[in-house]
Amino acid sequence: LASSAASDVYKRQDKDNFIKNLLLDNLLLVDIYNRAKKLHIDTEVRRVIFIIETSHEKDSAALDNVRNLLGGKSRDFVTAVDEKNIIVVKELSEKDGNKELEKMAKDMLDQLRSEGGDEQVHIAYGTIVNDIKEVSKSYKEAKLALDVGKIFFSEKDIVAYTTLGIGRLIYQLPIPLCKMF
């Protein structure tokens, strides 16, 4: 039983390591598909990236908390690539669209707020991708939505990449100029 538990920990670490490298674009295309197959991760599934930023630095308890909030679905991945943000790689059904993504983000926000009290929570998400190799694209979009949202939508707690509009373009200017806009 102990070796089975250790094996599960290694599998989870392998998957976590794979997801982190996938998000950060650290894998060759051939490696993405080979490692996904080895780890029994479906490659042709609709997914989206949510980035959750809270005012406190992350620890393993915060990651476990988000995993528990999501019901521990094994097909969703919760990880962190830095100490500031929690990243959720969410698997979607065929019928999930922008309205459902907004609701998922709102549910996460409500649950995190009820758990964390007065903690500041911001959630951003990218666009839906259909293949595992595009997960890093959704991650980059979510990251951009988080950054642009802080400047142009500071009153919003949830920002979708698709709603950034001209803010996405203006954000390429120096930050003081962005704030002037």
Side-chain angles (χ1 to χ4, degrees), residues 14-174:
D14 278 352
K15 280 187 178 180
D16 191 59
N17 191 13
F18 170 68
I19 295 297
K20 282 180 186 173
N21 282 312
L22 185 65
L23 292 167
L24 297 172
D25 248 346
N26 289 344
L27 297 169
L28 297 171
L29 200 55
V30 65
D31 291 339
I32 291 172
Y33 292 106
N34 287 340
R35 287 191 61 192
K37 186 177 179 185
K38 208 181 288 183
L39 294 167
H40 306 289
I41 297 171
D42 203 341
T43 55
E44 293 181 9
V45 172
R46 298 174 85 233
R47 291 183 173 93
V48 70
I49 304 297
F50 290 93
I51 298 181
I52 302 167
E53 182 183 76
T54 60
S55 48
H56 297 307
E57 293 219 336
K58 298 294 143 290
D59 55 21
S60 60
L63 281 174
D64 289 338
N65 192 9
V66 172
R67 281 189 187 107
N68 293 336
L69 290 175
L70 293 172
K73 258 183 66 180
S74 62
R75 299 175 74 80
D76 294 337
F77 301 99
V78 178
T79 191
V81 292
D82 58 35
E83 65 286 337
K84 286 178 58 85
N85 304 316
I86 295 173
I87 295 146
V88 180
V89 182
K90 186 100 180 92
E91 191 170 303
L92 304 171
S93 72
E94 280 304 312
K95 63 178 176 41
D96 288 334
N98 288 337
K99 202 166 69 177
E100 288 78 13
L101 295 183
E102 189 69 23
K103 185 182 178 338
M104 287 174 201
K106 176 125 180 51
D107 291 347
M108 281 188 246
L109 186 69
D110 292 345
Q111 287 180 309
L112 286 165
R113 283 217 172 114
S114 68
E115 296 275 322
D118 62 349
E119 193 176 11
Q120 278 288 102
V121 180
H122 297 284
I123 298 179
Y125 57 94
T127 56
I128 298 169
V129 295
N130 296 304
D131 194 292
I132 198 155
K133 72 176 185 289
E134 298 174 319
V135 164
S136 67
K137 174 179 152 283
S138 186
Y139 170 65
K140 287 174 191 153
E141 292 169 347
K143 210 164 161 27
L144 186 66
L146 193 64
D147 294 342
V148 173
K150 285 178 191 166
I151 295 172
F152 296 104
F153 308 103
S154 57
E155 74 290 347
K156 289 174 94 178
D157 297 320
I158 298 171
V159 181
Y161 177 79
T162 55
T163 64
L164 295 179
I166 199 162
R168 209 167 67 204
L169 188 63
I170 297 170
Y171 185 71
Q172 293 173 9
L173 299 170

